[in-house]
Amino acid sequence: MAARKLILAFESSCDETSVAVVENGDTILSNIIATQIKSHQRFGGVVPEVASRHHVEQITLVTDAALKEAGVTYDDLTAVAVTYGPGLVGALLIGVTAAKTIAYAHHLPLIPVNHMAGHIYAARFVKPLAYPLLALAVSGGHTELVYMRSAGEFEIIGDTRDDAAGEAYDKVGRILGIPYPAGKEVDRLAHLGQDTFHFPRAMDKEDNLDFSFSGLKSAVINTVHHAHQLGQELSREDLAASFQAAVVDVLVHKTQKALHQYPVKQLIVAGGVAANQGLKEAMNETLAVNFPDVDVIVPPLRLTGDNGAMIGAAAHIEWAKQHLASESLNADPGLSFTHAS
């Protein structure tokens, strides 16, 4: 019987302090998440300094809780893993420092993990992955189409030129009077309205796999401001439905275009926006017709946001490749996968 590989994984890239214990890369023994949403809501978004202070307050408590829930001690661990980028530099440094300290104190290997790799590898908790595969990574800071020839190999074939999809949701949510984070409520309103405004589908006809959501965000904001100047009241439900339809149409269309160019058996939809019901419905329905042989994998709701378990899943792959870090590991807020040539 193979020995258990237990990884203590840290995630602190933005506004969640999370520590998990993951066994063999696909079994969650614990996944403790301390969220900061209420602290940032009054500001309408994440304030880096506030986020860092919360991480300092929570990191030890969350670590102790993760070990206790998993029923393990430091002596049982195989390695320590941590998100070192991309993200907010101050927030990242809290997790990196905690992970390095534990690894040094307990003579454990340290595994550096790319945050976006974590989002993609959250799919390992659903089913085994088969390569090559395609991933659509959509979050507050990223919208990327990623081709993976093999485990641990990431190549960006489509990227956002400006706002990420999740960022656009929060900015549009603000103009609709929805508190941060707005994605879930915009999605709910969208299911109650109709696409009556027909907002632009940016870059949808261009011969590439890139995205742009800044113009769409501006179109929604300008429509609302213009109506206010005229004393008109627009339907929030229809605005949400029209905005979401534009986002989802582009995401689904570009993903289909990528599947034509990069034939695969699996598509992973990962990141915070993967929780969006409208996106999941449209992706599943469209691919069932046009790509019936492609298996669409979406991590469960609790694993679409930032969490330590996804970092543990990605770290297991890095561990197998012996991609380890020294005590000089530093935060890399601009860390990115390689772009296709």
Side-chain angles (χ1 to χ4, degrees):
M1 183 177 175
R4 301 169 77 201
K5 290 184 175 62
L6 300 179
I7 295 177
L8 181 70
F10 289 80
E11 160 58 36
S12 67
S13 63
C14 191
D15 60 343
E16 258 87 33
T17 311
S18 183
V19 181
V21 177
V22 175
E23 180 178 354
N24 297 334
D26 57 10
T27 302
I28 300 171
L29 301 186
S30 64
N31 189 27
I32 308 299
I33 304 170
T35 185
Q36 306 173 9
I37 286 176
K38 289 185 177 178
S39 295
H40 298 287
Q41 274 181 337
R42 57 192 164 132
F43 303 111
V46 178
V47 180
E49 175 65 17
V50 173
S52 298
R53 289 177 181 272
H54 276 293
H55 287 308
V56 171
E57 294 168 0
Q58 294 293 329
I59 195 79
T60 303
L61 298 172
V62 173
T63 303
D64 290 343
L67 290 168
K68 183 177 180 181
E69 184 173 300
V72 301
T73 68
Y74 289 115
D75 291 338
D76 299 315
L77 298 176
T78 305
V80 179
V82 62
T83 298
Y84 75 108
L88 304 173
V89 64
L92 288 165
L93 280 169
I94 309 305
V96 168
T97 302
K100 287 201 297 185
T101 301
I102 290 172
Y104 178 79
H106 296 278
H107 309 289
L108 291 166
L110 180 65
I111 307 170
V113 175
N114 183 310
H115 175 77
M116 296 310 294
H119 275 305
I120 293 170
Y121 274 119
R124 293 189 74 195
F125 298 118
V126 178
K127 63 176 63 175
L129 304 185
Y131 302 94
L133 61 79
L134 187 69
L136 172 66
V138 274
S139 67
H142 296 80
T143 304
E144 300 168 345
L145 279 164
V146 182
Y147 181 63
M148 299 178 63
R149 288 184 173 82
S150 62
E153 186 178 348
F154 306 90
E155 185 179 31
I156 296 177
I157 58 173
D159 203 353
T160 182
R161 302 281 182 89
D162 40 60
D163 288 0
E167 186 180 357
Y169 266 90
D170 286 331
K171 289 177 178 178
V172 167
R174 195 175 305 156
I175 202 73
L176 296 180
I178 299 169
Y180 170 88
K184 185 177 180 179
E185 180 61 11
V186 172
D187 187 22
R188 187 189 71 82
L189 289 174
H191 280 78
L192 301 175
Q194 303 293 325
D195 179 11
T196 58
F197 292 95
H198 307 296
F199 290 125
R201 274 64 169 161
M203 299 183 69
D204 201 32
K205 305 299 183 186
E206 292 190 19
D207 189 25
N208 58 52
L209 298 173
D210 288 343
F211 305 92
S212 171
F213 297 107
S214 180
L216 168 61
K217 168 206 68 184
S218 297
V220 178
I221 292 172
N222 291 340
T223 298
V224 173
H225 282 164
H226 183 65
H228 285 172
Q229 289 170 351
L230 297 176
Q232 298 173 347
E233 193 67 36
L234 301 179
S235 164
R236 292 168 80 235
E237 291 80 4
D238 288 349
L239 283 166
S242 301
F243 164 73
Q244 179 152 298
V247 172
V248 169
D249 281 356
V250 172
L251 290 175
V252 173
H253 181 248
K254 292 280 185 171
T255 300
Q256 287 194 93
K257 188 182 289 188
L259 289 170
H260 278 296
Q261 295 179 26
Y262 297 82
V264 296
K265 290 292 187 182
Q266 288 182 335
L267 168 70
I268 298 171
V269 183
V273 183
N276 184 281
Q277 201 61 35
L279 175 59
K280 285 191 286 189
E281 290 167 358
M283 192 69 77
N284 280 313
E285 290 171 8
T286 305
L287 265 60
V289 174
N290 298 328
F291 293 90
D293 294 332
V294 174
D295 185 15
V296 181
I297 307 173
V298 183
L301 186 62
R302 64 192 173 89
L303 297 178
T304 53
D306 295 348
N307 66 90
M310 70 183 196
I311 303 306
H316 184 258
I317 302 295
E318 298 303 314
W319 166 257
K321 292 174 174 286
Q322 283 297 287
H323 290 167
L324 306 178
S326 69
E327 63 275 5
S328 64
L329 179 68
N330 202 356
D332 185 351
L335 183 67
S336 177
F337 298 137
T338 58
H339 282 72
S341 57

